[in-house]
Amino acid sequence: MNWSALGKILIMVGIGIAILGALMLLLPRMPFLGNMPGDIHIKREGFNLHIPITTSIILSIVLTIILNIIIWLLIKK
């Protein structure tokens, strides 16, 4: 087993977890997430339903672009 490669993988996983943690701290402070046009909010007595369709699509596009850039940078080497 190549210990150098395993070490690099563990470092990348650690950096990924740190970035994910930072995003989890910062995302609730962004007022537009979950309140965009196209998000569905239904409020009735004793019942609340929230379906963030637009927010999900935008986050999916952004994450796809970020992951494609990361994969492109890793393959480029």
Side-chain angles (χ1 to χ4, degrees), residues 34-69:
N35 295 322
M36 302 183 87
D39 291 348
I40 299 172
H41 303 279
I42 300 174
K43 291 184 181 180
R44 296 195 178 146
E45 187 177 329
F47 178 76
N48 287 331
L49 177 65
H50 176 72
I51 305 173
I53 296 172
T54 306
T55 303
S56 298
I57 292 171
I58 290 175
L59 286 176
S60 175
I61 292 169
V62 169
L63 290 174
T64 299
I65 291 170
I66 291 171
L67 287 174
N68 279 324
I69 290 171

Side-chain angles (χ1 to χ4, degrees):
M1 174 176 239
N2 187 354
W3 291 104
S4 177
L6 181 61
K8 289 178 184 179
I9 291 171
L10 287 174
I11 290 172
M12 295 300 285
V13 168
I15 290 171
I17 290 172
I19 291 172
L20 183 62
L23 285 175
M24 291 178 83
L25 289 173
L26 296 175
L27 286 178
R29 297 181 185 177
M30 294 184 183
F32 57 86
L33 286 179
N35 295 322
M36 302 183 87
D39 291 348
I40 299 172
H41 303 279
I42 300 174
K43 291 184 181 180
R44 296 195 178 146
E45 187 177 329
F47 178 76
N48 287 331
L49 177 65
H50 176 72
I51 305 173
I53 296 172
T54 306
T55 303
S56 298
I57 292 171
I58 290 175
L59 286 176
S60 175
I61 292 169
V62 169
L63 290 174
T64 299
I65 291 170
I66 291 171
L67 287 174
N68 279 324
I69 290 171
I70 291 171
I71 290 170
W72 179 75
L73 289 172
L74 291 174
I75 292 175
K76 184 180 173 185
K77 293 180 180 181

